Amino acid sequence: MYVPAGEVRLQGDLEMPAGAGGLVIFAHGSGSGRHSPRNRQVAAALNGAGFGTLLFDLLTAEEEIEDRIDARLRFNVPLLAGRLSRVVAWARVEEGVAGLPVGLFGASTGAAAALVAAAACPGDVAAVVSRGGRPDLAAHSLSEVRAPTLLIVGGRDLEVLSLNEQALERMDPSAGHELTVVPGAGHLFEEPGALEEVALLSAEWFRENLRK
């Protein structure tokens, strides 16, 4: 399917289990897309927990070709966040998903886009999960994020862990933000059981914070 995002239409995959209690929109990390095996694994787990999921490409096919050459667009957080915000707006009125609370799941640079979008759309985003995210790239928006945000970081991903700890200090504690460390996990959560733990933590977070 194609999802409208302002002046462009982006390819996406929507999965809606019967009786879904909310919709989680994924924002992939740098150099990745809707086919990211890690995001797909988490999305499948969320489907099993009763949530709809939307994985979509933040860049058009033409832009992806350009980005493979200079890697410029994948770090353009304002561009990516703007598109994510428009997809959230689309989800709020699209038949079949309208009326469902919306959560965002961002990985790496996609987490920065998710945080900027959540700050820009406080009435439309109910919760955020960041997996190995780069919240430092959303520094100007961190204090404005009202949606409860779970920052998940691998215990061996020391640089990103430090960036997330610093980011949490800049976020409003009254919103209920939390940082969780998965022991022994690296940046990509490739270790046995690490990504399964991410999925469990994410499902619980959305279960607590996505309410009709």
Side-chain angles (χ1 to χ4, degrees):
M1 66 180 295
Y2 281 91
V3 183
E7 298 179 352
V8 298
R9 296 171 72 243
L10 304 169
Q11 287 189 290
D13 296 324
L14 177 67
E15 294 290 340
M16 293 298 297
L23 175 66
V24 179
I25 300 176
F26 282 68
H28 57 76
S30 57
S32 184
R34 74 185 190 282
H35 297 300
S36 161
R38 284 174 287 277
N39 278 356
R40 284 193 168 273
Q41 182 175 334
V42 174
L46 292 178
N47 294 151
F51 296 104
T53 56
L54 173 64
L55 293 99
F56 74 101
D57 292 331
L58 285 163
L59 302 178
T60 66
E62 294 78 11
E63 288 170 338
E64 286 181 358
I65 293 172
E66 176 186 340
D67 190 62
R68 291 192 198 105
I69 298 172
D70 57 20
R72 180 175 54 86
L73 295 174
R74 69 183 67 177
F75 290 105
N76 188 335
V77 173
L79 170 70
L80 304 180
R83 289 183 176 179
L84 181 55
S85 296
R86 292 181 180 93
V87 171
V88 170
W90 166 84
R92 299 294 283 165
V93 298
E94 178 66 9
E95 183 178 356
V97 295
L100 291 177
V102 172
L104 302 179
F105 183 99
S108 189
T109 53
L115 289 166
V116 174
C121 311
D124 292 328
V125 176
V128 179
V129 171
S130 162
R131 171 181 66 81
R134 290 289 308 276
D136 54 299
L137 298 177
H140 62 288
S141 297
L142 291 176
S143 64
E144 303 300 319
V145 178
R146 298 290 174 261
T149 298
L150 177 63
L151 305 172
I152 305 175
V153 185
R156 293 174 49 240
D157 193 9
L158 298 181
E159 182 177 355
V160 172
L161 176 57
S162 177
L163 292 172
N164 276 259
E165 290 172 338
Q166 294 171 42
L168 185 62
E169 292 178 354
R170 302 182 62 175
M171 300 175 77
D172 183 356
S174 68
H177 309 306
E178 294 182 13
L179 170 64
T180 295
V181 177
V182 178
H187 184 62
L188 297 179
F189 296 88
E190 295 177 305
E191 297 76 11
L195 204 56
E196 287 81 357
E197 180 66 14
V198 169
L200 287 172
L201 291 167
S202 301
E204 182 60 27
W205 191 258
F206 289 128
R207 193 176 293 115
E208 291 178 357
N209 294 291
L210 288 191
R211 300 186 179 94
K212 293 184 179 181

